[in-house]
């Protein structure tokens, strides 16, 4: 169901530093007047704060926030441990990692844990607002440095994507599967892809499963990186 543009995006902030939480809350509460050049943009409402993964799980279960800004390195339970447990309690939530750590050994496990996007804390404030709204729409915002690292990791053969089949695997895709793959690379959810292609969400899921099988990949993130690497990314416009 598409939410009306006037309904706020309910956001949960998870970070072990109180000053970071307060700074984010203050900025986000002011963002409507600062960034809303497009009045169709939904406002962002901070509905809760947590200082570790355990608190985040409890609050997510109770508040069912639409988007969660989640730090990775925290005491008691870190973001990587908490992410799948949060999604178990609040499956409709979209998790955005917001961290200072961009190493591949943190990025890839986080994306595989089901997070919606991965941002670094040096992101410009207006880009953070954009990323939150993208996540709420089911897109997958990635910090540019993270996107480059992921593509580089796969291109170098260091990533989990099996290299043996890549030379011919893309040719096994049908025209419709290529369309779906392009939209996957654009960060669209199954629902959004279904609307764009005028097909059912169930059909999209079938195509995604077929794409992963034919390309020998494990998840949507690997498929998106594969598409970007092989020039099958989203078309302009």
């Amino acid at each position: 169901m598409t939410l009306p543009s006037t309904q706020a995006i309910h956001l949960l902030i998870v970070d072990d530093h109180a000053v970071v939480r307060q700074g984010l809350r203050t900025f986000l509460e002011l963002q409507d007047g600062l960034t809303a050049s497009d009045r169709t943009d939904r406002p962002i409402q901070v509905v809760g704060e947590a200082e570790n993964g355990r608190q985040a799980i409890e609050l997510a279960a109770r508040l069912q926030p639409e988007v969660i800004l989640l730090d990775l390195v925290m005491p008691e339970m870190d973001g990587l441990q908490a992410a799948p447990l949060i999604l178990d309690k609040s499956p409709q939530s979209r998790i955005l990692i917001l961290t200072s750590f961009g190493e591949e050994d943190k990025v890839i496990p986080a994306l595989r844990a089901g997070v919606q996007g991965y941002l670094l804390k040096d992101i410009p404030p207006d880009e953070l607002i954009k990323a939150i709204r993208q996540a709420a729409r089911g897109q997958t915002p990635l910090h540019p440095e993270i996107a480059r690292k992921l593509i580089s990791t796969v291109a170098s053969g260091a990533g989990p994507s099996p290299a043996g089949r890549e030379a011919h695997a893309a040719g096994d895709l049908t025209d419709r599967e290529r369309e779906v793959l392009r939209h996957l690379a654009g960060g669209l959810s199954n629902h959004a892809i279904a609307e764009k292609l005028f097909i059912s969400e169930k059909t999209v899921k079938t195509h995604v499963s077929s794409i992963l099988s034919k390309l020998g990949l494990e998840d949507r993130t690997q498929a998106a990186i594969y598409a970007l690497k092989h020039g099958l990314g989203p078309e302009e416009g």
Side-chain angles (χ1 to χ4, degrees), residues 35 43 56 65 101 109 111 160 174 191 203:
T35 66
F101 301 93
L111 292 171
T174 66
H191 179 73
T203 299

Side-chain angles (χ1 to χ4, degrees), residues 54 98 125 161 180 234:
R54 294 190 189 281
L98 182 62
S161 179
V180 171

Side-chain angles (χ1 to χ4, degrees), residues 143-197:
H143 190 285
E145 180 181 335
I146 298 302
R148 285 194 297 270
K149 284 184 176 181
L150 288 172
I151 294 169
S152 176
T153 297
V154 174
S156 69
S161 179
R165 300 184 59 196
E166 286 192 351
H168 66 276
D172 295 337
L173 301 179
T174 66
D175 289 343
R176 178 63 91 185
E177 286 167 351
R178 284 173 175 266
E179 286 185 283
V180 171
L181 182 57
R182 286 187 185 277
H183 290 307
L184 278 179
L188 296 188
S189 65
N190 285 352
H191 179 73
I193 295 173
E195 289 188 335
K196 277 190 170 291
L197 298 182

